[in-house]
Amino acid sequence: MSTIELRELGKRFGSRWVFRRVSFAIEPGRFVLLLGANGSGKTVLARHLNGLLLPDEGEVLIDGRPIKADLAACRRTVGMVFQDPESQIIGQTVFEDVAFGPRVQQISEAEVSERVAEALALTGLEAERQSPPATLSGGRRRRLALAGVIATRSSCIVLDEPFTFLDHAACVELLRYLVGLKERGHTVIMITHDIEKVLGEADRVIALADGGVAADTSPERFLTELPAYGLRRPHGTLTELSWREV
Ligand SMILES: Nc1ncnc2c1ncn2[C@@H]1O[C@H](COP(=O)(O)OP(=O)(O)OP(=O)(O)O)[C@@H](O)[C@H]1O
Ligand SMILES: [Mg+2]
């Protein structure tokens, strides 16, 4: 399992900086929420974590090594579920799509099948294993994107707005799975506007605003500070917000 560290990270498009001087480290076994208003730079930041975007300043390190030295290794370590699930679909069938990530890791075909079966079971897609992804509903395509990342068994998983299109049961299943991953020492980094769904499960909240990190705090403290970020305070305590209580 791996520690991800951002050192003085800065990214600009043309002359406009999306963010600058973003620094934090996330140890294995943490569930971190990355929050911020539309356009605050969450997706851009997430794409730096597996080297899909390269910074204009600073660097990303995994276990102390700059990722740019070995982007392929970085992408094996950090799995990403994109905000737009369509951009992630590559296989002709659900099975082939989910098998893509494990196959890149050059493991045996028997192990690929085993991992795909597990990922399809966890996401409730077994019945559609031979279906073309285009025939799935929006929510089931989102599950497919999740299954693809689950099957890679990445030590760190980054999810950009994973609840979009998911029904209540799927949200609870997803949270249950992510908490299980965290308990096994994986790192979970989730970007979401659905704070109420996950605040009870998170260990840490990092909020982006005005081109930098505006808060890096505990869920408990963040809950009391929500109005300062223009966010409505959810009803209930952190324990009541947990899916375990639903
Ligand atoms: N390829 C690009 N070229 C130019 N500007 C970009 C590009 N990608 C992102 N941006 C800009 O960077 C800023 C941050 O965008 P980003 O998508 O990271 O926001 P976000 O926090 O994920 O927002 P949302 O909550 O809407 O998903 C925005 O102003 C956006 O217009
Ligand atoms: Mg985004």
Side-chain angles (χ1 to χ4, degrees), residues 21-187:
R21 290 182 282 280
V22 172
S23 297
F24 54 79
I26 302 176
E27 295 84 35
R30 304 285 171 186
F31 192 144
V32 179
L33 297 184
L34 182 59
L35 308 179
N38 292 137
S40 57
K42 304 179 298 295
T43 296
V44 169
L45 184 66
R47 285 171 174 261
H48 284 78
L49 298 178
N50 71 348
L52 282 174
L53 282 174
L54 295 174
D56 294 293
E57 287 178 351
E59 58 187 350
V60 177
L61 303 100
I62 294 180
D63 294 329
R65 287 184 295 276
I67 63 166
K68 59 179 186 290
D70 190 350
L71 283 176
C74 167
R75 287 178 191 145
R76 282 195 298 275
T77 307
V78 183
M80 180 99 64
V81 180
F82 294 97
Q83 187 162 13
D84 165 20
E86 312 297 323
S87 66
Q88 210 158 359
I89 291 173
I90 30 188
Q92 295 297 309
T93 65
V94 164
F95 181 93
E96 291 298 316
D97 194 76
V98 178
F100 183 84
R103 278 186 184 142
V104 170
Q105 298 174 354
Q106 295 175 330
I107 54 177
S108 73
E109 196 56 28
E111 196 179 339
V112 169
S113 294
E114 191 184 308
R115 288 203 200 172
V116 173
E118 183 206 50
L120 294 182
L122 276 163
T123 50
L125 288 173
E126 292 134 311
E128 282 122 320
R129 55 184 281 135
Q130 295 307 334
S131 306
T135 63
L136 302 184
S137 72
R140 300 190 81 72
R141 258 176 268 170
R142 169 64 68 169
R143 291 170 186 237
L144 177 60
L146 288 168
V149 172
I150 287 169
T152 64
R153 304 213 174 142
S154 308
S155 84
C156 173
I157 165 164
V158 182
L159 307 105
D160 197 346
E161 294 292 353
F163 298 119
T164 315
F165 303 128
L166 291 190
D167 60 30
H168 175 70
C171 289
V172 172
E173 271 303 302
L174 172 61
L175 281 169
R176 205 188 298 278
Y177 175 70
L178 295 177
V179 169
L181 274 187
K182 170 191 125 85
E183 284 166 356
R184 293 198 297 277
H186 292 252
T187 307

